[in-house]
Amino acid sequence: MIDNHILAAIFVHLITAILQLIAWRKTITQRYLSVGGTFLALIVAIRLFEKVYTDGTLTLNASNWEAPFGIVFVADLLAVTLVLLTSIAGFAVSIFSTTGLSRQRMMYGYFPIFHFLLMGLIGAFLTGDIFNLYVWFEVIIISSFVLMTLGGRKAQLEGAIKYMALNILASMFFLTGIGILYGITGSLNMADLALKIQAVKNQTLIGITSIFFILGFGIKSAVFPLYYWLPSSYHTPPSAVAATFGGLLTKVGIYAMLRVFSLIFIPDEFTKQLLLVIAVLTILTGTLGALVKTNVRRLFSYLIVCHIGFMVGGLAMFTKIALMGTIFYLIHDIMVKTNMFLIAGVIRQLRGSMDLAKLGGIYGEYPKISLLIAIVLFSLVGIPPLSGFWPKIFLFQEAFGQGQYFFVAALIVGSLATLYVIAQLWSEVFWKNPPDPSVLENKFEPMPLFKKILLVLPVAILAGASLYIGLYAEGVVQVADRISNELIDTTPYIEAVLGPKR
């Protein structure tokens, strides 16, 4: 079904960014515009999700050029679910940014670039054209590079160089794969590619081409052995920026792998085993990194790497149950990881440091905030019946069913390590006796009440979302079930784009 409202969320962020550029030095105006823009985008995303959930996949042909000749935008259930999650996370981060970011950084153009980044993310989820996906990736990379360097501190610039270098390499692999794919099939439309790729006689060349996409998307997802840019860069920008990166940027790579390897390159046995090995090694390296880190945000960065392996493993097994686990974990992870970096920002405001040795006593002074944070930490660990628990059931079930015992072992190690690391973090940050008051830099206490609310409210919003995902798991499972069906049987997607006669 053709629907012009598919692009509404993109245009909301584009218009918001343009208005903020007009109000360049008026930071208060930019804050109002940002919160208002992200709230409007959230309303649009909810409406789009409801429409797709009820009516099925929606499409839009840009400039009325029919597929496969023009650029097509496709809103299937996977795409609109991620658009909705991006909008929720963007709304929370926008509120946090109004207080958690210095006015100096705002005057460097933080808010318009932030909305360009959200626009790029939503565009990547909705596009049905493989080259257009590359274009949206470049919008994301440029915006995120500017946000990462905002303020110009030495650590930021060092992290940004690592981030940019690896992402340029990823783009090079991605673009090379697109070029070969176009040379083989003469098409860039993903639905059309799904049909034409089956008619190619040289399947060895198809397999080689798929490796370029694994490399490109693997770097962007931060999988082993190309993950080290993430923990080297995500701890350097402000917490609001790190929250957007930690919650959303690596998930674009996972989305792209789900889309391309369900629609164009159906995984053969070699690809499945390759992805499974990558998943196991990603979990283990992320686990080892998290165990030795004493900086809160570096620790969270390695947990991102570890849990990316969970999702790649689900894709590698490529069955309905495994894909349900991956989709559910993706939904859970976006909410929780965004919130973890916002929590790190709150901790910095409370204690002036991210070093575990310099933290402590927060539960005694701020019990309500601590209990709110505990909900998020329990969700991350996967304490039943919270959101991190349910997807692991699907992953364990399918891994046992297929006899993938190395992946089972990796899941157990990753889960236990997450529990240990979070328990240690809780002990060091919240229960341990507070450090010497002379070394504390409590920026939270002198704040006016409304600023304190603006700092804690985003954490509460995302914690509420995580609680909803966990306690209303039945509804999320229904969404994951429908998405996994669409990933395995791509006929409805292809027919929505190209028509039933093709």
Side-chain angles (χ1 to χ4, degrees), residues 53 328 390 468-481:
Y53 193 83
F328 201 134
W390 303 108
Y468 180 84
I469 292 167
L471 300 179
Y472 187 61
E474 182 181 357
V476 182
V477 167
Q478 289 175 359
V479 172
D481 179 70

